[in-house]
Amino acid sequence: MIINSDDDKNINTSNQLDAKEIDFDKSFESSIRPKTFDDYIGQSELKETLSISIESAKKREQSIDHMLFYGPPGLGKTTLAGVIANEMGVNIKITSAPALERPRDIIGILMSLKAGEILFIDEIHRLNKVAEEILYPAMEDFFIDMMTGKSQGTKNLRIPVPKFTLIGATTKAGSLSGPLRDRFGIIHRLEFYTIQELMQVLARTAKILDIKIDKDGLNAIARRSRGTPRIANRLIKRVRDYALVRYDSDINGTIANEALDLLKIDQVGLNSMDRNLLKLIIEKYDGGPVGIETIAAALCEDVKTIEDVCEPYLLQAGLILRTPRGRKVSPEGYRLLNIVPNTMQASLFD
């Protein structure tokens, strides 16, 4: 992944601070990312399948098949790609689909690859049509088709590229075109993590960051992490800060719960926006169904934020239902908010 630095001397202090914060977050994520399957917690069935594929590729002395990982954000798709590269003993180049706007962007990165290397494209569902068409022959036959010349002098050139492995990651597998999706030999969905798996993730992070926390503290944070390692790792830093400032002590269950209550993250991991979404559907639209665009407009949020950030966990937790007519709050959603459905709403659930 290439990061371009901005040497503009007129950058204001605010932007400089934002850049430092981004660099810190990247450094933090890099420091806690596992490098091997032994360190990678969760997704046990996927790890077993990948281990077999990797061992087979090594014995055949060939590149592993192209892979597509999909699922909600924060479950470790990028991390998993890095683990695969490490297990294969090859380099990995990381980019994202929005960064590949022009044909020369995708052509340049493909021609820079060496035999066996891995190209990881995040948000691959956002690839434009031109980039997709360049990828088709590169993935199948390891050639790039290029047109040179003008008018009657136009010629088609086939330029070979080294045999590589493409790993794509997406939160919207259904948004990929059929021809692109069919070119992946290995396709897997990453699942939400269990409480026990998240406790293992947090224990590993705490060890790396030298955070002192007991089992009750780990459990409290894991339960409010929405089944997502990225959220768990973010919350443990906030709880660490709270414990240091308010108590100047190690983290236990009581301190962790106090810190998370202060952050307005409830016992099942819902934040203010999640609860506002549920209350909106119940109070303004009689529990639904209501369209996603209407919900987003009422909350003054982007539709993509609702779909990619809020909905996956609310659906997985059974708090909302997605119907052809729109979103509805489930009976479990009512119970969570301690709201009793009216007679008409109750009859719809019978």
Side-chain angles (χ1 to χ4, degrees), residues 148-168:
T148 62
K150 295 181 180 180
S151 188
Q152 295 180 348
T154 300
K155 293 182 180 179
N156 182 46
L157 297 179
R158 302 205 80 191
I159 302 174
V161 296
K163 291 187 176 181
F164 69 100
T165 296
L166 173 64
I167 299 180

Side-chain angles (χ1 to χ4, degrees), residues 2-281:
I2 300 174
I3 302 175
N4 294 321
S5 61
D6 192 340
D7 294 326
D8 189 350
K9 295 182 180 179
N10 294 321
I11 294 177
N12 60 41
T13 304
S14 176
N15 287 343
Q16 290 176 348
L17 291 175
D18 289 343
K20 289 179 180 178
E21 185 175 349
I22 291 171
D23 289 341
F24 175 78
D25 288 341
K26 288 181 179 179
S27 176
F28 168 71
E29 287 194 9
S30 178
S31 68
I32 64 174
R33 285 190 193 276
K35 302 296 189 295
T36 66
F37 282 131
D38 290 336
D39 292 333
Y40 188 97
I41 299 165
Q43 315 295 341
S44 55
E45 292 182 2
L46 173 55
K47 287 194 298 184
E48 183 177 0
T49 300
L50 291 176
S51 295
I52 292 172
S53 298
I54 289 172
E55 189 62 29
S56 173
K58 285 182 176 179
K59 288 185 176 181
R60 291 182 284 108
E61 297 184 349
Q62 294 179 355
S63 298
I64 195 169
D65 284 348
H66 303 302
M67 305 180 194
L68 176 66
F69 298 136
Y70 68 99
L75 296 183
K77 295 182 283 292
T78 305
T79 299
L80 187 57
V83 169
I84 293 169
N86 187 66
E87 295 282 356
M88 285 290 296
V90 299
N91 292 326
I92 180 171
K93 294 190 176 182
I94 300 175
T95 187
S96 64
L100 305 174
E101 296 180 352
R102 298 162 297 183
R104 68 182 185 185
D105 295 329
I106 185 69
I107 290 173
I109 199 167
L110 286 172
M111 294 188 67
S112 71
L113 293 171
K114 297 178 182 178
E117 287 188 337
I118 291 175
L119 171 61
F120 177 79
I121 301 180
D122 199 10
E123 300 182 87
I124 196 168
H125 63 276
R126 296 177 62 184
L127 273 180
N128 61 46
K129 189 66 176 177
V130 174
E132 274 195 29
E133 292 177 351
I134 292 172
L135 271 180
Y136 293 159
M139 293 175 69
E140 278 194 324
D141 304 317
F142 301 102
F143 278 94
I144 299 174
D145 289 321
M146 296 181 62
M147 303 296 292
T148 62
K150 295 181 180 180
S151 188
Q152 295 180 348
T154 300
K155 293 182 180 179
N156 182 46
L157 297 179
R158 302 205 80 191
I159 302 174
V161 296
K163 291 187 176 181
F164 69 100
T165 296
L166 173 64
I167 299 180
T170 177
T171 56
K172 296 182 177 181
S175 297
L176 266 72
S177 66
L180 178 59
R181 187 168 54 249
D182 292 343
R183 283 170 168 79
F184 289 98
I186 300 173
I187 301 177
H188 280 287
R189 184 183 193 279
L190 273 68
E191 303 293 340
F192 283 106
Y193 279 54
T194 66
I195 299 299
Q196 291 300 318
E197 289 171 339
L198 286 174
M199 289 177 67
Q200 294 177 51
V201 170
L202 287 165
R204 180 178 180 273
T205 301
K207 183 178 180 181
I208 293 172
L209 300 182
D210 195 27
I211 297 174
K212 307 300 181 184
I213 181 170
D214 66 14
K215 188 174 181 180
D216 290 339
L218 293 173
N219 185 275
I221 299 173
R223 288 185 178 280
R224 304 197 195 198
S225 297
R226 303 166 68 100
T228 307
R230 180 183 295 165
I231 294 176
N233 285 328
R234 186 177 73 228
L235 292 182
I236 195 173
K237 292 194 296 177
R238 303 287 74 79
V239 174
R240 172 200 59 190
D241 296 342
Y242 181 87
L244 181 63
V245 173
R246 291 289 178 87
Y247 290 92
D248 193 21
S249 70
D250 300 341
I251 301 170
N252 57 33
T254 300
I255 293 175
N257 282 317
E258 284 183 11
L260 296 170
D261 286 342
L262 182 65
L263 294 171
K264 296 184 179 181
I265 299 172
D266 68 19
Q267 293 292 332
V268 294
L270 301 190
N271 56 32
S272 298
M273 186 165 71
D274 300 319
R275 292 190 294 274
N276 288 340
L277 187 152
L278 293 174
K279 289 179 180 178
L280 174 76
I281 298 176

